[in-house]
Amino acid sequence: MVIIITGASHVGKTLLAQRMLEKYKYPYLSIDHLKMGLIRSGNTDLTPEDDDELTDYLWPIVREIIKTAIENKQNLIVEGCYIPFNWRDGFSAQYLQSIRFICLAMSDEYIDSHFEEIKVHASDIETRMDDSCYTADQLKKDNRLIIDGFQSTGERIVLVTEEYEDLIKKLLD
């Protein structure tokens, strides 16, 4: 089984992947780690701010890693925001039956009432670069893009509207 976890920045993708690793003992691949390895090694001139270009650059690599894991009957969690809305187009039905897709997003109301808490937990699993300029309005905009984009391709969105920890527990079960 391959589990793909995606969503906007700050929605808890990495925390969910870490909890799944702890519960199921499935290894996980952080697409951010792959991105930074390719950038720091000089294998690309892209920068961490080149989101759309990074999706185009990283997805073919990540897609083939997913296929390889499935072909080898290996469990894997793939976590990150560089998943294209039409990700399913790169897989035959044979592969898709071995993939669980989770797209996390937060409602505007949740962001409004929990923004300070979201910021406090931003580095719980991995240390973030300084994102003190990241605003609630930017987070809402980023979430709306993810929701609209994935819904336009028929994907189900796991929307955080209440207690985040309760939602994580449901996803783990």
Side-chain angles (χ1 to χ4, degrees), residues 57-82:
Y57 180 71
L58 294 168
W59 179 243
I61 298 165
V62 172
R63 181 189 63 226
E64 298 308 314
I65 290 170
I66 291 169
K67 287 179 180 177
T68 301
I70 292 169
E71 290 162 358
N72 287 297
K73 298 178 179 29
Q74 296 171 317
N75 298 316
L76 180 66
I77 300 163
V78 176
E79 171 270 322
C81 59
Y82 301 103

Short mmCIF file of all heavy atoms in Angstrom, two decimals, residues 57-82:
data_model
loop_
_atom_site.label_atom_id
_atom_site.label_comp_id
_atom_site.label_asym_id
_atom_site.label_seq_id
_atom_site.Cartn_x
_atom_site.Cartn_y
_atom_site.Cartn_z
N TYR A 57 8.74 19.24 -12.05
CA TYR A 57 10.07 18.62 -12.00
C TYR A 57 10.07 17.37 -11.12
O TYR A 57 10.63 16.33 -11.48
CB TYR A 57 11.08 19.65 -11.48
CG TYR A 57 12.50 19.15 -11.36
CD1 TYR A 57 13.27 18.91 -12.50
CD2 TYR A 57 13.09 18.98 -10.12
CE1 TYR A 57 14.59 18.47 -12.40
CE2 TYR A 57 14.41 18.54 -10.02
CZ TYR A 57 15.15 18.29 -11.15
OH TYR A 57 16.45 17.86 -11.06
N LEU A 58 9.44 17.47 -9.95
CA LEU A 58 9.50 16.38 -8.97
C LEU A 58 8.51 15.25 -9.23
O LEU A 58 8.81 14.09 -8.94
CB LEU A 58 9.26 16.94 -7.56
CG LEU A 58 10.33 17.88 -7.01
CD1 LEU A 58 9.83 18.57 -5.75
CD2 LEU A 58 11.61 17.11 -6.75
N TRP A 59 7.32 15.58 -9.73
CA TRP A 59 6.27 14.56 -9.83
C TRP A 59 6.68 13.35 -10.67
O TRP A 59 6.43 12.21 -10.25
CB TRP A 59 4.95 15.14 -10.31
CG TRP A 59 3.92 14.06 -10.43
CD1 TRP A 59 3.30 13.64 -11.57
CD2 TRP A 59 3.42 13.23 -9.38
NE1 TRP A 59 2.44 12.61 -11.29
CE2 TRP A 59 2.50 12.32 -9.94
CE3 TRP A 59 3.67 13.14 -8.01
CZ2 TRP A 59 1.82 11.37 -9.20
CZ3 TRP A 59 2.99 12.19 -7.27
CH2 TRP A 59 2.08 11.32 -7.85
N PRO A 60 7.32 13.50 -11.83
CA PRO A 60 7.71 12.29 -12.58
C PRO A 60 8.62 11.37 -11.77
O PRO A 60 8.51 10.15 -11.87
CB PRO A 60 8.42 12.84 -13.81
CG PRO A 60 7.86 14.21 -13.99
CD PRO A 60 7.62 14.73 -12.59
N ILE A 61 9.48 11.93 -10.96
CA ILE A 61 10.38 11.13 -10.12
C ILE A 61 9.56 10.44 -9.02
O ILE A 61 9.68 9.23 -8.81
CB ILE A 61 11.48 12.01 -9.50
CG1 ILE A 61 12.34 12.64 -10.59
CG2 ILE A 61 12.33 11.21 -8.51
CD1 ILE A 61 13.22 13.79 -10.13
N VAL A 62 8.73 11.20 -8.33
CA VAL A 62 7.93 10.65 -7.23
C VAL A 62 6.97 9.58 -7.76
O VAL A 62 6.81 8.52 -7.15
CB VAL A 62 7.17 11.78 -6.49
CG1 VAL A 62 6.19 11.22 -5.48
CG2 VAL A 62 8.16 12.73 -5.82
N ARG A 63 6.35 9.85 -8.89
CA ARG A 63 5.42 8.88 -9.50
C ARG A 63 6.11 7.54 -9.73
O ARG A 63 5.56 6.47 -9.43
CB ARG A 63 4.89 9.45 -10.82
CG ARG A 63 3.89 8.53 -11.51
CD ARG A 63 3.56 9.02 -12.91
NE ARG A 63 4.75 8.99 -13.74
CZ ARG A 63 5.15 9.99 -14.54
NH1 ARG A 63 4.46 11.10 -14.66
NH2 ARG A 63 6.26 9.87 -15.25
N GLU A 64 7.33 7.58 -10.25
CA GLU A 64 8.04 6.33 -10.54
C GLU A 64 8.51 5.64 -9.26
O GLU A 64 8.59 4.40 -9.21
CB GLU A 64 9.18 6.57 -11.51
CG GLU A 64 8.70 7.08 -12.88
CD GLU A 64 7.61 6.22 -13.52
OE1 GLU A 64 7.74 4.97 -13.53
OE2 GLU A 64 6.61 6.79 -14.02
N ILE A 65 8.80 6.40 -8.21
CA ILE A 65 9.12 5.80 -6.91
C ILE A 65 7.89 5.06 -6.39
O ILE A 65 7.99 3.93 -5.88
CB ILE A 65 9.59 6.88 -5.91
CG1 ILE A 65 10.97 7.41 -6.30
CG2 ILE A 65 9.59 6.33 -4.48
CD1 ILE A 65 11.41 8.64 -5.51
N ILE A 66 6.72 5.67 -6.52
CA ILE A 66 5.47 5.04 -6.09
C ILE A 66 5.24 3.74 -6.86
O ILE A 66 4.92 2.70 -6.28
CB ILE A 66 4.28 6.01 -6.26
CG1 ILE A 66 4.39 7.16 -5.26
CG2 ILE A 66 2.95 5.28 -6.12
CD1 ILE A 66 3.43 8.32 -5.51
N LYS A 67 5.41 3.78 -8.17
CA LYS A 67 5.23 2.57 -8.98
C LYS A 67 6.19 1.47 -8.55
O LYS A 67 5.80 0.30 -8.45
CB LYS A 67 5.43 2.89 -10.47
CG LYS A 67 4.30 3.67 -11.09
CD LYS A 67 4.59 3.95 -12.57
CE LYS A 67 3.49 4.73 -13.23
NZ LYS A 67 3.82 5.06 -14.64
N THR A 68 7.43 1.84 -8.30
CA THR A 68 8.43 0.85 -7.89
C THR A 68 8.05 0.22 -6.56
O THR A 68 8.17 -1.00 -6.39
CB THR A 68 9.83 1.51 -7.82
OG1 THR A 68 10.15 2.05 -9.10
CG2 THR A 68 10.89 0.50 -7.40
N ALA A 69 7.58 1.02 -5.61
CA ALA A 69 7.15 0.48 -4.31
C ALA A 69 6.00 -0.51 -4.51
O ALA A 69 6.00 -1.60 -3.92
CB ALA A 69 6.74 1.60 -3.37
N ILE A 70 5.04 -0.16 -5.34
CA ILE A 70 3.89 -1.05 -5.59
C ILE A 70 4.35 -2.33 -6.27
O ILE A 70 3.94 -3.44 -5.87
CB ILE A 70 2.81 -0.31 -6.41
CG1 ILE A 70 2.19 0.81 -5.57
CG2 ILE A 70 1.75 -1.29 -6.90
CD1 ILE A 70 1.30 1.77 -6.36
N GLU A 71 5.19 -2.21 -7.27
CA GLU A 71 5.68 -3.40 -7.99
C GLU A 71 6.43 -4.34 -7.06
O GLU A 71 6.39 -5.56 -7.23
CB GLU A 71 6.59 -2.96 -9.14
CG GLU A 71 5.84 -2.30 -10.27
CD GLU A 71 6.73 -1.48 -11.19
OE1 GLU A 71 7.96 -1.38 -10.94
OE2 GLU A 71 6.19 -0.91 -12.16
N ASN A 72 7.10 -3.79 -6.06
CA ASN A 72 7.86 -4.59 -5.11
C ASN A 72 7.05 -4.96 -3.86
O ASN A 72 7.61 -5.49 -2.91
CB ASN A 72 9.14 -3.86 -4.72
CG ASN A 72 10.14 -3.87 -5.85
OD1 ASN A 72 10.61 -4.93 -6.27
ND2 ASN A 72 10.46 -2.70 -6.37
N LYS A 73 5.74 -4.64 -3.90
CA LYS A 73 4.84 -4.94 -2.78
C LYS A 73 5.36 -4.37 -1.46
O LYS A 73 5.31 -4.99 -0.41
CB LYS A 73 4.61 -6.45 -2.68
CG LYS A 73 3.93 -7.02 -3.91
CD LYS A 73 3.76 -8.51 -3.83
CE LYS A 73 3.08 -9.13 -5.01
NZ LYS A 73 3.16 -8.58 -6.29
N GLN A 74 5.85 -3.12 -1.55
CA GLN A 74 6.36 -2.42 -0.38
C GLN A 74 5.41 -1.32 0.02
O GLN A 74 4.82 -0.63 -0.83
CB GLN A 74 7.74 -1.82 -0.69
CG GLN A 74 8.78 -2.86 -0.97
CD GLN A 74 10.07 -2.26 -1.49
OE1 GLN A 74 10.06 -1.37 -2.33
NE2 GLN A 74 11.18 -2.78 -0.99
N ASN A 75 5.23 -1.14 1.31
CA ASN A 75 4.42 -0.06 1.84
C ASN A 75 5.25 1.22 1.86
O ASN A 75 6.45 1.18 2.14
CB ASN A 75 3.94 -0.39 3.25
CG ASN A 75 3.06 -1.62 3.27
OD1 ASN A 75 2.19 -1.78 2.44
ND2 ASN A 75 3.30 -2.50 4.22
N LEU A 76 4.59 2.34 1.59
CA LEU A 76 5.29 3.61 1.57
C LEU A 76 4.30 4.74 1.75
O LEU A 76 3.21 4.71 1.18
CB LEU A 76 6.02 3.79 0.23
CG LEU A 76 6.81 5.08 0.01
CD1 LEU A 76 7.99 5.18 0.98
CD2 LEU A 76 7.29 5.17 -1.43
N ILE A 77 4.68 5.72 2.55
CA ILE A 77 3.92 6.96 2.68
C ILE A 77 4.70 8.03 1.93
O ILE A 77 5.90 8.20 2.14
CB ILE A 77 3.77 7.36 4.17
CG1 ILE A 77 3.04 6.27 4.95
CG2 ILE A 77 3.05 8.71 4.29
CD1 ILE A 77 3.21 6.38 6.46
N VAL A 78 4.03 8.73 1.04
CA VAL A 78 4.64 9.82 0.28
C VAL A 78 3.93 11.10 0.71
O VAL A 78 2.71 11.21 0.59
CB VAL A 78 4.49 9.61 -1.23
CG1 VAL A 78 5.04 10.80 -2.00
CG2 VAL A 78 5.18 8.31 -1.66
N GLU A 79 4.69 12.04 1.23
CA GLU A 79 4.10 13.23 1.83
C GLU A 79 4.69 14.48 1.22
O GLU A 79 5.91 14.60 1.09
CB GLU A 79 4.35 13.17 3.34
CG GLU A 79 4.01 14.39 4.12
CD GLU A 79 5.17 15.38 4.24
OE1 GLU A 79 6.33 14.97 4.39
OE2 GLU A 79 4.89 16.59 4.15
N GLY A 80 3.83 15.41 0.81
CA GLY A 80 4.31 16.68 0.32
C GLY A 80 3.27 17.42 -0.50
O GLY A 80 2.21 16.88 -0.82
N CYS A 81 3.60 18.64 -0.82
CA CYS A 81 2.65 19.49 -1.55
C CYS A 81 2.87 19.48 -3.05
O CYS A 81 2.12 20.10 -3.78
CB CYS A 81 2.69 20.91 -1.01
SG CYS A 81 4.29 21.70 -1.11
N TYR A 82 3.84 18.73 -3.55
CA TYR A 82 4.16 18.75 -4.98
C TYR A 82 3.46 17.61 -5.74
O TYR A 82 4.07 16.92 -6.54
CB TYR A 82 5.67 18.71 -5.18
CG TYR A 82 6.35 19.88 -4.51
CD1 TYR A 82 7.02 19.71 -3.31
CD2 TYR A 82 6.25 21.16 -5.05
CE1 TYR A 82 7.61 20.80 -2.67
CE2 TYR A 82 6.84 22.24 -4.42
CZ TYR A 82 7.52 22.05 -3.23
OH TYR A 82 8.09 23.13 -2.60
#
